[in-house]
Every structure is written in C-alpha cells, then in structure tokens.
Amino acid sequence: MAKGCDSSWDFDYKSRVDALVDEGYTFIGRYLNHSAGVRNGLTVSEANRLSNAGVFICALYESDSGTSISHFTRSNGIADAREAISLAEDLGSFPCLILFVQFLVSY
C-alpha cells in the first residue's frame, strides 16, 4: 500500500524531500494556495523537487473566503474550483498531479 501525507508547509529543501523519501512516502498532499500563518502554497521549484524524487503530488485547495455553511453555494463552489484550476495550471504539468478541492465548514 502506498504511504502518503499532507503538509501545509513546503518541501522546497532537498533535506525535507530526502527525509520524506527515506521514510517510504510515495505521495504528498500540498496546498496550491498560500495563507499567511496557516500554509505555504506549492511552488514550481517544490513540485519539481518532489517529482524528481519520485514523490507524487496531490494538489489541495482550500478556500479562504469562508467556512460558514452559508458560504457553500453553487456559485461559490464554481468560483473556488476555477481558482484551484488556475493555480494548478500556473504550476505546469507534473506526473500524477491530482487536484482536490477541500472544504472546511464551521458549524
């Protein structure tokens, strides 16, 4: 079975990527968008470093525009998906770059 993780912080350093691979991880979930103090967005150099090490990337997107249930409308979902796609396209093409739009609801 494949071993993976997600991270809100970057793997833009060879030592971090090496440690990930040494521990047997084959995929990582990384956020496309940056949010100050919360998460660093995936960069082209980081995606290259991970891909070159044989680590597959599951690209995550989490909207910062709202977490209340009222935010989750059809039009906001379309806007969030478009933003996620645009950010993914800006990165270019990497092996097995999978886009996952994440929703965080606060009740």
Side-chain angles (χ1 to χ4, degrees), residues 59-70:
L60 308 172
Y61 175 84
E62 184 176 324
S63 174
D64 289 325
S65 58
T67 59
S68 70
I69 195 70
S70 62

Side-chain angles (χ1 to χ4, degrees), residues 37-72:
V38 178
R39 64 183 171 274
N40 292 330
L42 179 64
T43 64
V44 171
S45 62
E46 179 185 4
N48 279 323
R49 187 175 303 281
L50 288 163
S51 292
N52 290 339
V55 178
F56 295 97
I57 302 165
C58 178
L60 308 172
Y61 175 84
E62 184 176 324
S63 174
D64 289 325
S65 58
T67 59
S68 70
I69 195 70
S70 62
H71 169 76
F72 297 98

